[in-house]
Amino acid sequence: MQKTAPAKILLNKIFRLKVGKDYEVEDLVIGFEKIGYERCQEVKTPGQICWKGGVVDLYPLGEKTPKRLEFTVDTLTSIRSFDKGSQRSKDFCDSLEVFPGCDVFLDDNLQVQKIYNHFLQIDLPTADRNAYIDEVKQGNHFHGFDFLLPDCFDKPETFLDYLESSALLVFDGPKPKIISSYKALFRN
């Protein structure tokens, strides 16, 4: 079963935005990048962000449409959905939760040290190793970055760790497949 960051860590990385509150826009954009959002010229797919003056467009994971955040100086004055094709604003909302787009965060010195140690131990040409280490030191994510997850947490979790103890799991399919899936799920 795929592992992920512990729930406690992921939940602390959620940005909760509210119209009327003050935010340092540059810090907010950098924060989005640190939780896995990719800066681009025009937002088209989930996980992207674009900053132009007092406007920040982002496509939060789990949302059906991208969002436009408008700021007057540091005050968030509006949050609107917009059409990614025409770029025209649509519905307004008062608040927005932005969930992480990755499982590994480069604002944690312990995680950065663990990643650094990982790269020192693997067999890579020196130039490649140094390039990866430089990206990590600069706080940048790169393709395949989440493969570092096991090196970052002492005890990564699965989606089961996020569930209440009273949660009901439903398995669907032929009985032999259900039994093997059940055993595989709870083997660890």
Side-chain angles (χ1 to χ4, degrees):
M1 178 176 303
Q2 184 173 341
K3 301 285 188 177
T4 187
K8 180 179 173 183
I9 291 173
L10 279 179
L11 293 174
N12 285 329
K13 299 296 181 181
I14 298 171
F15 280 83
R16 291 173 175 84
L17 307 174
K18 189 160 181 57
V19 170
K21 287 190 73 178
D22 287 345
Y23 303 92
E24 180 63 44
V25 181
E26 183 175 6
D27 290 345
L28 195 61
V29 170
I30 290 168
F32 292 145
E33 289 177 313
K34 286 183 177 179
I35 64 167
Y37 285 75
E38 175 188 7
R39 202 181 290 205
C40 61
Q41 293 297 314
E42 190 174 287
V43 170
K44 299 232 181 234
T45 60
Q48 292 182 327
I49 182 169
C50 175
W51 175 29
K52 294 178 183 170
V55 176
V56 176
D57 289 346
L58 77 147
Y59 204 143
L61 299 176
E63 293 285 335
K64 292 180 181 175
T65 58
K67 306 297 180 201
R68 178 161 291 144
L69 312 175
E70 293 182 343
F71 293 87
T72 302
V73 187
D74 288 337
T75 303
L76 179 57
T77 55
S78 78
I79 301 171
R80 295 186 273 176
S81 298
F82 70 92
D83 181 272
K84 61 186 176 185
S86 69
Q87 297 288 306
R88 290 183 184 237
S89 295
K90 299 189 316 189
D91 306 319
F92 287 88
C93 55
D94 294 329
S95 62
L96 177 67
E97 287 187 328
V98 181
F99 291 87
C102 65
D103 292 321
V104 178
F105 307 102
L106 296 175
D107 58 350
D108 180 321
N109 290 333
L110 182 59
Q111 285 187 10
V112 171
Q113 185 61 45
K114 287 179 178 182
I115 293 168
Y116 177 79
N117 291 340
H118 169 82
F119 279 114
L120 291 179
Q121 294 173 9
I122 60 175
D123 185 28
L124 274 177
T126 303
D128 292 344
R129 176 183 296 117
N130 291 342
Y132 283 125
I133 289 172
D134 287 345
E135 289 294 313
V136 169
K137 284 180 180 176
Q138 293 173 28
N140 298 329
H141 291 85
F142 48 84
H143 181 70
F145 188 79
D146 285 339
F147 82 92
L148 298 169
L149 180 83
D151 296 306
C152 293
F153 302 106
D154 294 329
K155 188 177 183 289
E157 296 180 351
T158 68
F159 83 94
L160 294 174
D161 296 303
Y162 285 69
L163 301 176
E164 299 274 336
S165 60
S166 60
L168 174 66
L169 292 177
V170 177
F171 294 87
D172 185 30
K175 188 174 180 179
K177 184 157 178 87
I178 291 173
I179 292 170
S180 67
S181 296
Y182 178 84
K183 287 179 180 177
L185 189 62
F186 292 101
R187 187 173 301 131
N188 299 332

